[in-house]
């Protein structure tokens, strides 16, 4: 377990701490402003605070629980991936996308992942530990500093980096609450998207949450035998159970669910696979993203679906009335697929 950082605390928790130390309330606002508006990484730079408080904070509530280790930019300059080193030496990755207009950032919720999808680099590496809410917040603040330097607003935060967000729900929800707090960072709840491999209790919790956070579900296949292989978590939450949770979510929130389908050549990219998906999603408030899989070195047998198959798949869904987008695996040149940069560092290739 890592030490608690300032970013692990809510505003109220910080106020309690400062109150116990005998500081007045306006100090809380100054600290919160420094961390979430000025995006400070070192208390030494926060000149509004008295020296003794700065020293106390540096000792007991560090401001930056991670450090950028290395970055790779795609040749078109639209995607940039950074490995962040955490206090215990573990690493996570942050991917910045769409640099040209409004930036989105793809962040991690865990070091590694226990779900073990065979086409995913993170899944191959196994589970190491959950991130704290502060470590999740820190990734977004890192991205915000990065886009501030090129004068772009940070418009979207997606939990599509390493890990299963609903495997670490308390930290994920707390991080969103902290970043949403209008006294500080103030990013609207609708700017967040949680992507899940299909953890049903997590979907129900999100449906019941007052914050209007978006949901993406990594579907990949609409029959249990195939999905058991592509997303081993399907054995725990099979499709009937998962789809029922998605329908409950849609009925309760009236928000459109995004279904992600990574297409693997010859495995889940045939017309009958598309028809099965169309049947499952019939009459549901949703959108489908088709992503030709980004092959990983560990599993060369999971090859990218050819463009012809991807388009044919998309046409079947569209003909069934399901809004569908084909996404290129942007940044494939810099190994921007889930967990791949970190995996590369570990194997030193
Ligand atoms: N664990 C969550 C969120 C992180 S993975 C989930 O699975 O939804 C984010 C997305 O990246 C998922 O849709 C996942 O299927 C996809 N993904 C992982 N590896 C990929 C690869 N090699 N090529 C294309 N998409 C991949
Ligand atoms: Fe985990 Fe998502 Fe990768 Fe599957 S795709 S192993 S759930 S991070």
């Amino acid at each position: 377990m890592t030490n608690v950082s300032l970013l692990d605390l809510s505003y109220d928790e910080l106020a309690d701490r400062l109150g116990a130390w005998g500081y007045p309330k306006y100090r809380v606002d100054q600290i919160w402003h420094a961390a979430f508006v000025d995006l400070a990484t070192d208390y030494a730079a926060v000149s509004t605070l008295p020296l003794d408080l700065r020293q106390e904070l540096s000792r007991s509530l560090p401001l930056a629980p991670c450090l950028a280790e290395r970055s790779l930019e795609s040749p078109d300059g639209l995607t940039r991936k950074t490995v962040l080193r955490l206090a215990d030496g573990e690493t996570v990755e942050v991917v910045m996308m769409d640099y040209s207009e409004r930036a989105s950032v793809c962040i991690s919720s865990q070091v590694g992942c226990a779900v073990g999808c065979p086409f995913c680099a993170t899944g191959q590496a196994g589970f190491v530990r959950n991130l704290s809410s502060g470590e999740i917040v820190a990734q977004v603040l890192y991205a915000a500093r990065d886009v501030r330097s090129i004068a772009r607003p940070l418009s979207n935060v997606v939990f599509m980096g390493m890990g299963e967000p609903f495997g670490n729900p308390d930290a994920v929800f707390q991080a969103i609450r902290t970043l949403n707090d209008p006294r500080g960072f103030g990013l609207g709840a609708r700017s967040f998207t949680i992507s899940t491999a299909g953890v049903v209790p997590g979907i129900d919790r999100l449906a019941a949450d007052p914050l209007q956070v978006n949901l993406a579900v990594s579907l990949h296949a609409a029959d249990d035998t195939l999905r058991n292989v592509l997303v081993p978590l399907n054995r725990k939450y099979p499709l009937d159970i998962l789809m029922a949770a998605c329908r409950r979510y849609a009925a309760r929130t009236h928000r459109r669910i995004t279904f992600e389908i990574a297409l693997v050549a010859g495995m889940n990219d045939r017309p009958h696979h598309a028809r099965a998906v169309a049947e499952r999603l019939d009459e549901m408030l949703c959108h489908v993203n088709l992503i030709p899989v980004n092959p990983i070195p560990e599993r060369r047998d999971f090859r990218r679906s050819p463009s012809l198959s991807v388009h044919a798949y998309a046409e079947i869904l569209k003909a069934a009335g399901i809004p569908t987008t084909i996404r290129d695996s942007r940044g494939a040149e810099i190994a921007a697929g889930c967990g791949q940069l970190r995996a590369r560092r570990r194997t030193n290739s």
Side-chain angles (χ1 to χ4, degrees):
M1 198 46 215
T2 52
N3 291 334
V4 171
S5 83
L6 178 83
L7 308 184
D8 284 301
L9 303 188
S10 66
Y11 179 93
D12 291 340
E13 287 166 341
L14 178 64
D16 287 348
R17 256 312 157 120
L18 269 272
W21 291 349
Y23 287 98
K25 163 94 169 37
Y26 73 93
R27 293 296 184 203
V28 181
D29 292 313
Q30 286 175 324
I31 297 168
W32 207 250
H33 196 275
F36 292 105
V37 180
D38 298 339
L39 307 179
T41 53
D42 187 349
Y43 291 113
V46 189
S47 53
T48 47
L49 299 176
L51 191 60
D52 60 339
L53 178 55
R54 278 189 257 168
Q55 284 168 343
E56 179 60 52
L57 287 167
S58 303
R59 250 194 320 272
S60 51
L61 287 177
L63 196 46
C66 59
L67 279 177
E69 190 173 276
R70 71 181 185 121
S71 293
L72 277 180
E73 197 161 306
S74 62
D76 60 10
L78 290 177
T79 307
R80 189 140 79 85
K81 183 157 181 161
T82 303
V83 173
L84 298 181
R85 178 169 289 276
L86 309 171
D88 64 353
E90 291 297 344
T91 53
V92 289
E93 49 193 36
V94 175
V95 183
M96 314 280 309
M97 295 164 289
D98 281 345
Y99 251 25
S100 56
E101 292 174 23
R102 305 171 313 154
S104 298
V105 61
C106 172
I107 61 169
S108 301
S109 55
Q110 299 178 316
V111 181
C113 182
V115 177
C117 306
F119 54 87
C120 168
T122 306
Q124 297 306 295
F127 175 74
V128 180
R129 70 166 171 88
N130 279 331
L131 295 183
S132 68
S133 65
E135 289 168 333
I136 295 171
V137 168
Q139 296 172 64
V140 178
L141 298 186
Y142 171 82
R145 274 179 217 110
D146 192 85
V147 294
R148 191 176 57 177
S149 70
I150 54 164
R152 300 271 187 283
L154 185 61
S155 60
N156 290 298
V157 173
V158 298
F159 286 85
M160 289 190 186
M162 291 163 51
E164 167 50 48
F166 288 148
N168 185 17
D170 291 344
V172 166
F173 279 99
Q174 160 127 13
I176 293 172
R177 288 212 148 61
T178 300
L179 291 163
N180 176 249
D181 190 326
R183 292 166 292 196
F185 198 66
L187 188 63
R190 288 164 190 263
S191 297
F192 293 89
T193 300
I194 295 179
S195 175
T196 179
V199 179
V200 165
I203 295 171
D204 284 330
R205 179 166 166 180
L206 185 60
D209 197 282
L211 286 181
Q212 304 213 320
V213 170
N214 300 302
L215 173 67
V217 175
S218 297
L219 185 61
H220 305 320
D223 78 88
D224 282 314
T225 313
L226 183 53
R227 196 166 187 272
N228 284 345
V229 174
L230 293 172
V231 187
L233 185 74
N234 194 69
R235 292 176 191 279
K236 187 162 181 189
Y237 304 111
L239 280 157
D240 282 350
I241 308 272
L242 173 60
M243 286 299 138
C246 292
R247 287 184 190 274
R248 280 197 298 279
Y249 172 94
R252 183 153 184 182
T253 66
H254 306 292
R255 294 200 296 274
R256 190 177 294 275
I257 302 177
T258 298
F259 288 96
E260 308 279 339
I261 301 180
L263 290 172
V264 186
M267 196 170 282
N268 65 345
D269 67 344
R270 297 282 157 81
H272 73 274
H273 296 123
R275 284 193 290 272
V277 165
E279 228 166 88
R280 287 273 182 196
L281 302 184
D282 190 36
E283 303 276 307
M284 200 188 300
L285 186 59
C286 70
H287 181 268
V288 170
N289 279 336
L290 299 177
I291 310 138
V293 81
N294 213 0
I296 58 171
E298 296 92 328
R299 294 299 298 260
R300 295 261 179 232
D301 46 332
F302 284 71
R303 287 172 297 112
R304 177 188 298 264
S305 184
S307 173
L308 215 58
S309 308
V310 177
H311 281 91
Y313 196 115
E315 287 316 313
I316 291 169
L317 294 186
K318 285 180 191 164
I322 299 168
T324 304
T325 309
I326 298 174
R327 303 240 175 250
D328 55 350
S329 330
R330 171 154 315 156
E333 319 80 30
I334 61 162
C338 182
Q340 291 186 46
L341 181 65
R342 179 171 172 277
R344 196 186 278 185
R345 187 186 66 82
R346 281 154 58 110
T347 54
N348 291 322
S349 59

